[in-house]
């Protein structure tokens, strides 16, 4: 089954977060990740508002988890953490 990274983000440092984004695209794609939503238009209907929402589809749950825990991703995720308040979940799809 496929899996999704679902991230809700409040960017607090544009430079640090931008450095992460510039590198993350290639790292995620290298693990089979495909961006479905990336900071586009949204409507917050429940819960805490996050002005940036990102959804990435991976071919399997294992691919999504392996990407997050990979040396390549861990080398860059510090900029995302330092440059934002965010939550990220890996969720297996039901299809």
């Amino acid at each position: 089954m496929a899996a999704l990274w679902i991230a809700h983000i409040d960017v607090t440092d544009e430079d640090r977060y931008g450095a992460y984004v510039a590198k993350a695209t290639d790292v995620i794609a290298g693990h089979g990740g495909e961006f479905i939503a990336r900071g586009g238009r949204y409507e917050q209907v429940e819960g805490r508002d996050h002005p940036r929402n990102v959804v990435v589809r991976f071919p399997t749950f294992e691919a999504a988890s392996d990407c997050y825990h990979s040396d390549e991703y861990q080398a860059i995720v510090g900029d995302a953490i330092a440059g934002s308040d965010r939550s990220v979940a890996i969720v297996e799809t039901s299809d």
Side-chain angles (χ1 to χ4, degrees), residues 31-48:
H31 287 268
E34 174 188 354
F35 287 90
I36 296 172
R38 195 173 196 181
R41 183 176 163 187
Y42 75 99
E43 176 185 1
Q44 185 70 34
V45 294
E46 288 188 25
R48 183 171 168 244

Side-chain angles (χ1 to χ4, degrees), residues 10-14 17 81-85:
D10 292 314
V11 176
T12 56
D13 182 329
E14 293 286 342
Y17 197 78
I81 293 168
S84 68
D85 175 18

Side-chain angles (χ1 to χ4, degrees), residues 5 7 34-41 52-57:
W5 276 12
E34 174 188 354
F35 287 90
I36 296 172
R38 195 173 196 181
R41 183 176 163 187
R52 183 171 177 83
N53 299 280
V54 177
V55 180
V56 181
R57 184 179 181 91

Side-chain angles (χ1 to χ4, degrees), residues 5 20 27 65-79 81 86:
W5 276 12
Y20 159 77
V27 172
S65 182
D66 289 349
C67 180
Y68 186 86
H69 296 289
S70 71
D71 291 341
E72 301 94 345
Y73 189 78
Q74 290 302 305
I76 63 172
V77 73
D79 281 327
I81 293 168
R86 70 186 206 145

